[in-house]
Every structure is written in C-alpha cells, then in structure tokens.
Amino acid sequence: MTRYQPVIGLETHVQLSTRSKLFCGCSTDYSGQEPNSFVCAVCLGLPGVLPVLNAEALKISVRTVLAVNGTVSEDSRFDRKQYFYPDLPKAYQISQFEHPIGLGGHIDVELDGAVRRIEITRLHMEEDAGKLVHVEDGGHSLVDYNRCSVPLLEIVTEPDIRSPEEARLYLQKLKSILEYLGASDCNMEEGSLRCDANVSLMPAGSSLYGSKAEIKNMNSFKAVSRAIQYEIERQAELLDRGEKVVQETRLWDDSSGRTSSMRSKEDAHDYRYFPEPDLPPVRVEAREIEQAWQDLPELPDARRQRLINDHGLSGYDAGVLTAQKAIADYFEAALQVQPNSKSLSNWIQSELLGYLNRDGLDIEDSPVSPGSLGELIQLIDSGKISGKIAKEVFAGMYQTRRPPAEIVREKGLEQISDESALEAVVASVLEAHPEQIESYRGGKTKVIGFLVGQVMKETRGQANPGLVNQLLKKKLGSGGA
Ligand code: ADP
Ligand code: ZN
Ligand code: MG
C-alpha cells in the first residue's frame, strides 16, 4: 500500500472491574446467570429513582487516566445521550460528553525498533447497554438487562495510528496497562475490551485526511488487524477507481473476513446530548489525584526497563516477559530461587510458554511453579544435569507437578561428572573410531565434536560435555606421542 497512507484512530470500551454497576448496587457478576436477574429500578430506568455514582468506578478511571499519562479533570460531568433502542431501557445512556474525566495522554508502542507515540484524545466514563438476543426463526428478539449500566471507560485515540500492526500493538499495550492496574479483566472474546476502528486513506505524502469508515464488531486482536487490513484494501480499490469513500459505520464479519455497511452518515443519530440533571458534577480534588498518582503500581514500560537495567535482559526479552503482569511475576518469583536471569528468560519463553500455549493455559495455572523452574535451572547451573536432559525433566515436571530433583533421582538422570566413570566410555569410543583419531592428529581438530557426540550418545546424554571434551583432548594429545 505505497500509494496511500492509512490513517487510523481507535475507540476502546473497557469494562471496569467493579463489584457493582455504575449507578446502583446491582452486582456485575452476572456471567452465566439467569437473564434479567441482576437488575433494579435504577438500572432499568424506572421513574422516580436516582442514580448514584459508583466511587470505585471513578477511582479506577482516575488511575487509568494517570497510567496513560493523561490529565484528570477535577470537574467532570455526566450527560444524557439519547437514543431509542430496546437494549437501553431509559432511552438514553448516561455518558460523559463535554467534560470527560480524562483529557490527553499517550501510549508508546515499539515497531521495528522505533518508538511510536499514539496520542490519546480523551477518556470518559459511561454505562453499558443491555444485550439483545435474536431468536433464530422466531421473528423476534429478547433482551437481557444484566449488563445494563455496567461501568465502562471509553478511551479515544487521535488518528495517529498508521498500520494494522500498530493498531494491534497499541491495543496490546493498553490491555497490558489495564491488567497491571487491575482495572479490567480485558477479555476481548467476552466483550470486556471492545474496540472500534476508524480507518481512512490519504495519498502518500499528503497530510490531509480522507473520509473515514468506522468499523465495529471485532472480538480479538487478530480480528482488529484483519478488519483494518481489509478496510484499507477496500478503500484503496474505491480510490483507484476514482470513487469516493463514504463516511459510514461498517460491521466486521470474522468468518467471511469482510466488512459491510451498517449505516451511513445520513442515518447517523442526533444524540441530543444534555447535562444529566440527576447527577451532580464529579469532583476529584487535586490532592486525591496526587495520591492516586503516588499509589500507581509499577506499569509495563517501567517494569520492562527495570528488567533490562537490573537483570541484563535484552529489550526484546524484557518486553515479552513484562507484556503480561502474571508472566513478569512468574519470572521474578523464579529469579528468587535461582538468579540466572538469561537462562530463566529462555526457559520461560521457549519451554514454559510453549507448553502453556499448546494447552491453552494461563501462566497462573502453570503446572510448573516458578520455584520448581528455579530449582531446575539450579540443577543445570550446578552441573547436576545437562541442558538437554533438563528438557526431559521439564516435561516430567509439567506432567506430574513434581519437583525436578525428584524426577532426576527417580529416573537416574544425573549428569555423569565422575572422571573415572567417563574415562572408560571415552576409551571405548576412541577404540571404535581410529580414523577420526588420525584426522584429529592430522590437524582436523574439529572431529572432536563428533567424538564428544559419540560419548554423549553412549551415556544417553548424561555425560558432562565439558569434561568429556577435556578427557578426549588429553587422550588424543598424549596417545600417539
Ligand atoms: P466522529 O465525529 O465520527 O465521532 P471523531 O472526530 O469524534 O469522529 O473521532 C472519532 C475517532 O475517529 C477518533 O479515534 C479519531 O482519532 C478518529 N478519526 C477522526 N478522523 C479520522 C480520519 N480521517 N481517519 C481515521 N480516523 C479518524
Ligand atoms: Zn441496578
Ligand atoms: Mg466523536
């Protein structure tokens, strides 16, 4: 896509992890429960009731604004956004429009070694709507209000994103920050993190934005980048044919891999926003903001930098380990047992995450505890087992949840570092390979690798390779003299 420059802005709805809804005491823990069993007069919008702002939702919102380097408004407001649709019993949504809780901020992503800064326009609180269930062949729909009025924070970026890959990185970083904050469980499949993508194209080299399409209904990171890619190609074809991109909302369909028009600008709603009269302005004192700032936990970028500085990890390794808080916690817990950061980082990335991905497990549910992995690396570092045998031991640990030393003992996998035991094997290998001995003495010293391999084979991988190397050199050097 060299003729056109894609321009992308994301609007992300984050479901906040509070126990109760945004303006009433109803529980948010309705997942898998009977429809319409987690509702009350307030979230159903019955007449004569008053909403009261959930203090926890406000607190999480403030922390999130600060975590993305935004400015918390000391005075923010709620407005009514009018629209008539059955998922909204009041026929308006309580949302923040003119005075949102957060303004500005940014999230940095790294692409091909360069840092790209994505500016954030605003963050605002609002209530979620209910869920419509369309009955197959029934000619009607059902509505479930359990989700109605669950707290959301919407995070809107500037049109700063330039590729599907950058969009994915932004979302992943945002998710990572929200997880470190404990702000949301960020489950895209279940809808606790929902992202709409605004996409337009402009001629390469231009700085004048084209008209955009807004894409909805992506349920995974993969879907977000696929949908944006599809949309870029669709718009490029239109422009190539000399046609115009219409400003509209389009729906992504994951199975066909296409977007289709949902509504054009002409049918866009006039929401008739006006200040919500039932809720007072939201006041956050400067000292509360200061306190929230002090109380912020270590965030992904800072933790990554700390792993680089304190443990000598590469930027790449530290990035992988800190993307998920739970992985970083695992790494640091294992490090307490065996402070070999490089080796731990390799074992976590190659073996542990490989196994967990294969089985669809989160690291919190890892059958191998951080302590056990630390012990395994201890066994390698102290020469008790070879790195190769360690993989076999790891498989056993993963399968049985038992500590590595037990598996090593039971299967008799200790590394053989006893010189006299190895000397006999070395001697028999040399006896069986007179040609290689000759080559070696003729100057082809590389054959030593082959001979070490033979000894390893004889000992089923248990010989200490360094020691074998020494013994072979000694014998080869002296033998013929
Ligand atoms: P609307 O008026 O359609 O609500 P906004 O200006 O409020 O549009 O922006 C909504 C989102 O669309 C923001 O994330 C913004 O960055 C993005 N956006 C705005 N203009 C463009 C454009 N020309 N191309 C791509 N994204 C855009
Ligand atoms: Zn309620
Ligand atoms: Mg807008």
PDB file of all heavy atoms in Angstrom, residues 331-345:
ATOM      1  N   PHE A 331       8.398 -14.727  36.436  1.00  0.00           N
ATOM      2  CA  PHE A 331       9.838 -14.579  36.199  1.00  0.00           C
ATOM      3  C   PHE A 331      10.549 -14.123  37.475  1.00  0.00           C
ATOM      4  O   PHE A 331      11.555 -14.699  37.883  1.00  0.00           O
ATOM      5  CB  PHE A 331      10.075 -13.567  35.078  1.00  0.00           C
ATOM      6  CG  PHE A 331      11.511 -13.165  34.891  1.00  0.00           C
ATOM      7  CD1 PHE A 331      12.398 -14.004  34.234  1.00  0.00           C
ATOM      8  CD2 PHE A 331      11.976 -11.955  35.384  1.00  0.00           C
ATOM      9  CE1 PHE A 331      13.734 -13.636  34.067  1.00  0.00           C
ATOM     10  CE2 PHE A 331      13.304 -11.578  35.218  1.00  0.00           C
ATOM     11  CZ  PHE A 331      14.182 -12.424  34.555  1.00  0.00           C
ATOM     12  N   GLU A 332       9.982 -13.102  38.112  1.00  0.00           N
ATOM     13  CA  GLU A 332      10.678 -12.558  39.284  1.00  0.00           C
ATOM     14  C   GLU A 332      10.616 -13.511  40.476  1.00  0.00           C
ATOM     15  O   GLU A 332      11.533 -13.532  41.297  1.00  0.00           O
ATOM     16  CB  GLU A 332      10.124 -11.175  39.631  1.00  0.00           C
ATOM     17  CG  GLU A 332      10.453 -10.177  38.512  1.00  0.00           C
ATOM     18  CD  GLU A 332      10.531  -8.733  38.965  1.00  0.00           C
ATOM     19  OE1 GLU A 332      11.576  -8.356  39.506  1.00  0.00           O
ATOM     20  OE2 GLU A 332       9.538  -8.003  38.776  1.00  0.00           O
ATOM     21  N   ALA A 333       9.568 -14.322  40.559  1.00  0.00           N
ATOM     22  CA  ALA A 333       9.495 -15.304  41.648  1.00  0.00           C
ATOM     23  C   ALA A 333      10.540 -16.394  41.430  1.00  0.00           C
ATOM     24  O   ALA A 333      11.215 -16.823  42.369  1.00  0.00           O
ATOM     25  CB  ALA A 333       8.089 -15.901  41.722  1.00  0.00           C
ATOM     26  N   ALA A 334      10.704 -16.838  40.187  1.00  0.00           N
ATOM     27  CA  ALA A 334      11.690 -17.881  39.888  1.00  0.00           C
ATOM     28  C   ALA A 334      13.113 -17.365  40.110  1.00  0.00           C
ATOM     29  O   ALA A 334      13.995 -18.098  40.554  1.00  0.00           O
ATOM     30  CB  ALA A 334      11.524 -18.373  38.451  1.00  0.00           C
ATOM     31  N   LEU A 335      13.284 -16.077  39.828  1.00  0.00           N
ATOM     32  CA  LEU A 335      14.596 -15.453  39.979  1.00  0.00           C
ATOM     33  C   LEU A 335      15.065 -15.470  41.445  1.00  0.00           C
ATOM     34  O   LEU A 335      16.258 -15.475  41.723  1.00  0.00           O
ATOM     35  CB  LEU A 335      14.495 -14.003  39.478  1.00  0.00           C
ATOM     36  CG  LEU A 335      15.740 -13.323  38.944  1.00  0.00           C
ATOM     37  CD1 LEU A 335      16.340 -14.091  37.784  1.00  0.00           C
ATOM     38  CD2 LEU A 335      15.397 -11.906  38.503  1.00  0.00           C
ATOM     39  N   GLN A 336      14.085 -15.460  42.355  1.00  0.00           N
ATOM     40  CA  GLN A 336      14.412 -15.532  43.782  1.00  0.00           C
ATOM     41  C   GLN A 336      15.095 -16.861  44.103  1.00  0.00           C
ATOM     42  O   GLN A 336      15.914 -16.943  45.000  1.00  0.00           O
ATOM     43  CB  GLN A 336      13.124 -15.447  44.634  1.00  0.00           C
ATOM     44  CG  GLN A 336      12.362 -14.168  44.492  1.00  0.00           C
ATOM     45  CD  GLN A 336      13.020 -13.041  45.243  1.00  0.00           C
ATOM     46  OE1 GLN A 336      13.436 -13.212  46.387  1.00  0.00           O
ATOM     47  NE2 GLN A 336      13.179 -11.903  44.583  1.00  0.00           N
ATOM     48  N   VAL A 337      14.726 -17.914  43.394  1.00  0.00           N
ATOM     49  CA  VAL A 337      15.268 -19.243  43.668  1.00  0.00           C
ATOM     50  C   VAL A 337      16.615 -19.426  42.972  1.00  0.00           C
ATOM     51  O   VAL A 337      17.556 -19.969  43.541  1.00  0.00           O
ATOM     52  CB  VAL A 337      14.267 -20.334  43.207  1.00  0.00           C
ATOM     53  CG1 VAL A 337      14.857 -21.725  43.369  1.00  0.00           C
ATOM     54  CG2 VAL A 337      12.961 -20.188  43.979  1.00  0.00           C
ATOM     55  N   GLN A 338      16.711 -18.975  41.720  1.00  0.00           N
ATOM     56  CA  GLN A 338      17.977 -19.097  41.004  1.00  0.00           C
ATOM     57  C   GLN A 338      18.208 -17.831  40.179  1.00  0.00           C
ATOM     58  O   GLN A 338      17.572 -17.639  39.145  1.00  0.00           O
ATOM     59  CB  GLN A 338      17.953 -20.344  40.118  1.00  0.00           C
ATOM     60  CG  GLN A 338      19.212 -20.585  39.323  1.00  0.00           C
ATOM     61  CD  GLN A 338      20.427 -20.871  40.213  1.00  0.00           C
ATOM     62  OE1 GLN A 338      20.338 -20.902  41.440  1.00  0.00           O
ATOM     63  NE2 GLN A 338      21.579 -21.038  39.596  1.00  0.00           N
ATOM     64  N   PRO A 339      19.114 -16.966  40.638  1.00  0.00           N
ATOM     65  CA  PRO A 339      19.274 -15.666  39.981  1.00  0.00           C
ATOM     66  C   PRO A 339      20.037 -15.739  38.651  1.00  0.00           C
ATOM     67  O   PRO A 339      21.017 -15.044  38.456  1.00  0.00           O
ATOM     68  CB  PRO A 339      20.033 -14.834  41.016  1.00  0.00           C
ATOM     69  CG  PRO A 339      20.681 -15.816  41.915  1.00  0.00           C
ATOM     70  CD  PRO A 339      19.952 -17.112  41.827  1.00  0.00           C
ATOM     71  N   ASN A 340      19.549 -16.576  37.756  1.00  0.00           N
ATOM     72  CA  ASN A 340      20.152 -16.663  36.417  1.00  0.00           C
ATOM     73  C   ASN A 340      19.120 -16.149  35.421  1.00  0.00           C
ATOM     74  O   ASN A 340      18.341 -16.908  34.847  1.00  0.00           O
ATOM     75  CB  ASN A 340      20.541 -18.123  36.130  1.00  0.00           C
ATOM     76  CG  ASN A 340      21.209 -18.275  34.781  1.00  0.00           C
ATOM     77  OD1 ASN A 340      21.124 -17.396  33.924  1.00  0.00           O
ATOM     78  ND2 ASN A 340      21.860 -19.410  34.572  1.00  0.00           N
ATOM     79  N   SER A 341      19.109 -14.830  35.233  1.00  0.00           N
ATOM     80  CA  SER A 341      18.007 -14.207  34.503  1.00  0.00           C
ATOM     81  C   SER A 341      17.937 -14.652  33.044  1.00  0.00           C
ATOM     82  O   SER A 341      16.865 -14.902  32.510  1.00  0.00           O
ATOM     83  CB  SER A 341      18.141 -12.688  34.566  1.00  0.00           C
ATOM     84  OG  SER A 341      19.389 -12.300  34.039  1.00  0.00           O
ATOM     85  N   LYS A 342      19.094 -14.766  32.404  1.00  0.00           N
ATOM     86  CA  LYS A 342      19.111 -15.109  30.979  1.00  0.00           C
ATOM     87  C   LYS A 342      18.509 -16.501  30.765  1.00  0.00           C
ATOM     88  O   LYS A 342      17.656 -16.709  29.908  1.00  0.00           O
ATOM     89  CB  LYS A 342      20.556 -15.049  30.487  1.00  0.00           C
ATOM     90  CG  LYS A 342      20.718 -15.137  28.991  1.00  0.00           C
ATOM     91  CD  LYS A 342      20.150 -13.908  28.279  1.00  0.00           C
ATOM     92  CE  LYS A 342      19.747 -14.311  26.865  1.00  0.00           C
ATOM     93  NZ  LYS A 342      18.736 -13.490  26.273  1.00  0.00           N
ATOM     94  N   SER A 343      18.996 -17.442  31.571  1.00  0.00           N
ATOM     95  CA  SER A 343      18.520 -18.810  31.430  1.00  0.00           C
ATOM     96  C   SER A 343      17.017 -18.909  31.751  1.00  0.00           C
ATOM     97  O   SER A 343      16.249 -19.538  31.024  1.00  0.00           O
ATOM     98  CB  SER A 343      19.344 -19.709  32.351  1.00  0.00           C
ATOM     99  OG  SER A 343      18.879 -21.015  32.286  1.00  0.00           O
ATOM    100  N   LEU A 344      16.603 -18.238  32.829  1.00  0.00           N
ATOM    101  CA  LEU A 344      15.182 -18.243  33.194  1.00  0.00           C
ATOM    102  C   LEU A 344      14.324 -17.681  32.072  1.00  0.00           C
ATOM    103  O   LEU A 344      13.274 -18.229  31.719  1.00  0.00           O
ATOM    104  CB  LEU A 344      14.975 -17.372  34.420  1.00  0.00           C
ATOM    105  CG  LEU A 344      14.847 -18.074  35.750  1.00  0.00           C
ATOM    106  CD1 LEU A 344      14.793 -17.047  36.857  1.00  0.00           C
ATOM    107  CD2 LEU A 344      13.604 -18.946  35.755  1.00  0.00           C
ATOM    108  N   SER A 345      14.792 -16.568  31.513  1.00  0.00           N
ATOM    109  CA  SER A 345      14.055 -15.929  30.438  1.00  0.00           C
ATOM    110  C   SER A 345      13.903 -16.894  29.261  1.00  0.00           C
ATOM    111  O   SER A 345      12.816 -17.045  28.691  1.00  0.00           O
ATOM    112  CB  SER A 345      14.799 -14.657  30.033  1.00  0.00           C
ATOM    113  OG  SER A 345      14.401 -14.241  28.758  1.00  0.00           O
TER     114      SER A 345
END
